[in-house]
Amino acid sequence: PPPPPLIMLALRAVCRAASRQLSCNASSSAAVVRGRRHRSTSVAHEATTSGPLSDEIVQAFHRDGWVVAPDFLTASEKEQMVRWTDEVQAWPETAGKWMQYFEQLGGHKQLCRTENFLDYHEGLRKLIDERIKGAVTQLLGEQAVLFKEKINFKLPGGQGFKPHQDQPAWITFDQSYFISAAVMADDATLENGCLQMVSGAHKSGCYPHPGGGIPDDLTSKWEWIPVTGKAGEVVFFDSYVPHASDDNVTDSSRRTYYLTYGLESEGDHRTGYYADKREHFPPDIERIPGKNYSKGGEVYNLGNPCSTTTE
């Protein structure tokens, strides 16, 4: 496969050490990143033209750090994703298998997220491996390997996510770059808390995340673009793009898959990731009652509303 775009190599150097402290000195490194990106733009585009995505989609991704591919999946595949989401949502809490996390709303807990589910659903595993992986490989410029998968359910009343980047949360195995494919399982609207992105902000590396989110003095200066769409549409975004969402104030869900891939050259860490997360930030059913898991949440719950304690 072709080598990864040079911008990825620049971002590795910028963020590898700093992300271990969940923060990066973006201001000191921005000039280096911008300079290398300017010289590598044509290389990045040439390295990613072969694959299922159009040149226009690929170029928009590298320019903005994210892109919507509304017709990437067929109508049949979109219907399957929605149906299979219903199936996963109905699974019972089961220790040692899929990992379910909850949020506290009005004194009761509500399903917030399910992770580590592909080993238990053949249809989803096959579709994702055959369709999504190739597109991410095209954007990476080298072979992609699945790092983690989750469904954020965003049920009625579900809380929003603080402005954050994903890169500082995925530091356990010293990986430098990821691309996520967000597959909408429901229509995404402003009212139900759709994703919001900041185009171009990925070029400056990592930003500080005190308290689990990017500070207001930065986020207030950015233009936040709402990513609305229909069920089955796919959004590709890299691990340095600041993103957020608001609360779901409707009576319908806004469920979304997040399928995250790393560079195969940096290793296959999916099994290790879930083993480490299960130890330090386990699903609710595996937690010790009354124990506070906020320490593990500093890594595994960055910007998220999932509860860190179990009653």
Side-chain angles (χ1 to χ4, degrees):
L6 295 185
I7 179 57
M8 298 177 191
L9 301 179
L11 287 172
R12 294 180 197 184
V14 169
C15 288
R16 186 178 298 275
S19 63
R20 293 192 183 98
Q21 291 86 38
L22 300 184
S23 125
C24 301
N25 188 343
S27 60
S28 65
S29 59
V32 175
V33 175
R34 284 194 295 269
R36 293 185 183 180
R37 183 175 179 82
H38 177 75
R39 294 192 297 273
S40 65
T41 298
S42 60
V43 176
H45 290 169
E46 290 173 3
T48 55
T49 53
S50 178
L53 300 173
S54 68
D55 289 347
E56 181 182 11
I57 291 288
V58 172
Q59 291 166 7
F61 173 84
H62 288 295
R63 180 189 68 233
D64 297 332
W66 66 280
V67 69
V68 180
D71 298 317
F72 178 74
L73 296 178
T74 67
S76 175
E77 290 168 339
K78 292 177 180 180
E79 292 174 359
Q80 286 178 321
M81 292 292 284
V82 173
R83 185 174 70 253
W84 290 338
T85 310
D86 294 336
E87 294 176 5
V88 175
Q89 185 174 343
W91 286 353
E93 287 187 86
T94 305
K97 291 187 175 182
W98 48 86
M99 302 165 72
Q100 293 172 316
Y101 295 87
F102 296 79
E103 58 185 323
Q104 294 295 324
L105 289 175
H108 70 279
K109 71 177 189 178
Q110 176 171 278
L111 183 63
C112 179
R113 170 181 299 169
T114 297
E115 298 196 41
N116 191 38
F117 54 83
L118 288 183
D119 294 339
Y120 310 100
H121 199 294
E122 182 179 356
L124 278 170
R125 182 174 66 250
K126 183 178 180 182
L127 189 150
I128 288 168
D129 187 60
E130 292 180 354
R131 298 286 280 118
I132 304 296
K133 184 178 179 180
V136 176
T137 292
Q138 181 183 5
L139 294 173
L140 282 173
E142 70 168 79
Q143 186 63 46
V145 60
L146 184 67
F147 178 58
K148 62 189 294 289
E149 77 276 0
K150 66 183 180 184
I151 303 172
N152 283 353
F153 288 99
K154 207 67 168 297
L155 301 178
Q159 300 173 68
F161 290 69
K162 298 178 182 178
H164 67 283
Q165 296 167 292
D166 289 334
Q167 184 66 32
W170 299 334
I171 60 174
T172 306
F173 302 100
D174 203 27
Q175 294 163 277
S176 63
Y177 188 79
F178 303 88
I179 292 176
S180 292
V183 184
M184 302 177 191
D186 296 306
D187 293 354
T189 68
L190 283 171
E191 292 76 19
N192 66 17
C194 67
L195 273 174
Q196 299 179 38
M197 301 281 191
V198 182
S199 295
H202 65 301
K203 300 173 185 178
S204 296
C206 293
Y207 298 93
H209 284 70
I214 303 174
D216 291 343
D217 62 345
L218 287 173
T219 61
S220 62
K221 299 175 183 177
W222 292 335
E223 178 185 0
W224 290 89
I225 302 173
V227 187
T228 59
K230 297 294 185 180
E233 295 187 7
V234 183
V235 184
F236 296 97
F237 64 100
D238 84 7
S239 51
Y240 294 88
V241 175
H243 54 286
S245 68
D246 293 329
D247 295 351
N248 180 358
V249 298
T250 74
D251 57 3
S252 301
S253 61
R254 198 273 287 172
R255 302 170 299 177
T256 306
Y257 289 82
Y258 292 89
L259 313 166
T260 298
Y261 293 82
L263 300 160
E264 187 178 65
S265 61
E266 294 186 337
D268 182 347
H269 300 290
R270 179 174 175 271
T271 299
Y273 172 85
Y274 281 123
D276 191 79
K277 183 167 187 174
R278 197 180 292 275
E279 177 182 356
H280 295 101
F281 196 68
D284 289 39
I285 196 171
E286 298 176 25
R287 294 181 181 180
I288 300 171
K291 181 175 179 179
N292 190 306
Y293 290 90
S294 57
K295 188 66 176 177
E298 291 177 3
V299 173
Y300 290 114
N301 203 37
L302 187 69
N304 298 333
C306 300
S307 176
T308 59
T309 60
T310 300
E311 299 298 333

